[in-house]
Amino acid sequence: MTNTKPLIVITGASSGFGAEDAKLFNAAGYPMLLLGRRDEKIRDLPLNFDNIMVAAVDVTDQEALADAIHAAEAKYGETDLLINNAGVMLLGNVQRQDPKEWQTMLDTNVMGVLNGTQIVLPAMVKRHHGTIINMSSIAGFKAFANHAAYVASKFGVHGLSETIRQEVANDNVRISLVAPGAGETELLTHVTDAAALKDYQAWKETMGGLTLDPKYVAQTVKFIYDMPQDVNVREIDLAATRQDS
Ligand code: NDP
């Protein structure tokens, strides 16, 4: 049976929000390219892999990212939705944090989004159709202690998204943004600063210990995509009701 639905590309599909996005769009029958450095984790997801390509790609490597996207497009047609979801949050106090951690966040969270965007955007502009949804954060418009470089990266995602949205609006291409609050994903597992992690956990306890279920972030992403092409839901911010900041 030929698949009539267009290609969706998801970066950071191996866990958290990206994995939930993959489940939702898979259930809806979309062909997908799922990307992450840990491709084995993607292959372990409970998905129907008939219409899925998986590749181990680091979003900071634009050439590898382009190769994977072009291979998927050769099979499924041009990308209609790119979800720039891959990201890292390495909490730390700027007075102590290793600058390498700042670089990792800026390279992944900002350069990764720009890399993916540049690969798919020209064809979207040409055919006057396509959507890019960038995963930012509440930390993309609001500061949090111990988040200096992360906040810088996510303010960057907000800024570049709105800039590109304006640039391609008249070409009927949608650039949209989802800005979640704290969510139950693997994001915190990479933090190396024990004090910053302790502060974050204490803050989480003020919300009853449980934050946003990733499935609602995926539903938000799909809601944005499901709107007609001539409607751009420019940004959705969502957080656990009990998150007070
Ligand atoms: P997870 O850690 O669960 O998922 C992050 C995903 O990004 C993984 O699939 C990881 O895959 C991928 N990734 C990280 N670095 C790279 C890289 N260099 N190249 C390719 N893939 C990479 O966290 P979340 O699901 O929470 O994070 C998803 C997005 O949501 C991020 O942009 C994050 O900043 C944002 N966000 C998260 C919030 C939260 O509280 N959870 C709140 C607000 C925003 P792999 O390691 O296999 O490469």
Side-chain angles (χ1 to χ4, degrees):
M1 200 176 77
T2 23
N3 199 308
T4 51
K5 294 203 169 171
L7 173 65
I8 293 178
V9 177
I10 304 176
T11 69
S14 57
S15 67
F17 299 154
E20 288 303 317
D21 293 342
K23 287 181 204 163
L24 206 54
F25 284 107
N26 185 236
Y30 285 89
M32 290 190 291
L33 170 64
L34 302 180
L35 302 167
R37 292 163 303 177
R38 296 167 300 166
D39 57 321
E40 69 289 350
K41 274 203 74 159
I42 300 175
R43 291 179 216 280
D44 283 345
L45 292 174
L47 302 173
N48 172 352
F49 282 89
D50 289 351
N51 275 331
I52 291 179
M53 280 176 79
V54 176
V57 167
D58 187 322
V59 291
T60 66
D61 180 347
Q62 198 191 32
E63 209 180 310
L65 186 56
D67 286 349
I69 291 175
H70 293 147
E73 290 182 338
K75 187 165 180 194
Y76 299 120
E78 283 173 343
T79 306
D80 195 53
L81 170 63
L82 167 65
I83 306 173
N84 276 316
N85 164 78
V88 276
M89 180 178 78
L90 304 169
L91 299 179
N93 186 290
V94 83
Q95 297 180 63
R96 298 187 300 265
Q97 193 167 25
D98 185 340
K100 286 199 189 93
E101 293 200 340
W102 307 335
Q103 194 70 60
T104 300
M105 282 185 274
L106 293 167
D107 284 348
T108 311
N109 302 357
V110 179
M111 293 298 289
V113 170
L114 287 168
N115 283 340
T117 301
Q118 192 178 51
I119 294 163
V120 301
L121 192 57
M124 289 181 175
V125 166
K126 207 169 164 190
R127 66 176 196 279
H128 288 179
H129 205 281
T131 304
I132 298 176
I133 300 178
N134 294 329
M135 292 305 302
S136 188
S137 169
I138 302 277
F141 57 88
K142 193 173 180 308
F144 293 86
N146 293 329
H147 285 63
Y150 184 72
V151 162
S153 74
K154 293 299 186 181
F155 268 63
V157 175
H158 262 73
L160 70 87
S161 299
E162 173 58 12
T163 304
I164 302 167
R165 187 197 65 73
Q166 291 178 20
E167 289 171 356
V168 300
N170 203 33
D171 296 302
N172 201 39
V173 175
R174 302 184 296 187
I175 309 293
S176 178
L177 188 72
V178 176
E184 295 299 321
T185 69
E186 290 184 12
L187 200 65
L188 279 175
T189 60
H190 309 290
V191 176
T192 59
D193 183 325
L197 192 58
K198 201 166 157 235
D199 286 353
Y200 191 94
Q201 299 291 10
W203 173 64
K204 223 180 118 170
E205 282 311 312
T206 67
M207 302 174 224
L210 205 61
T211 55
L212 203 53
D213 184 326
K215 75 180 180 196
Y216 298 115
V217 175
Q219 285 176 22
T220 303
V221 167
K222 190 157 181 304
F223 165 76
I224 291 172
Y225 183 61
D226 284 346
M227 282 286 142
Q229 183 70 32
D230 54 358
V231 177
N232 186 7
V233 180
R234 295 184 185 182
E235 174 176 342
I236 292 184
D237 310 333
L238 74 159
T241 305
R242 294 187 67 176
Q243 179 170 335
D244 64 359
S245 51

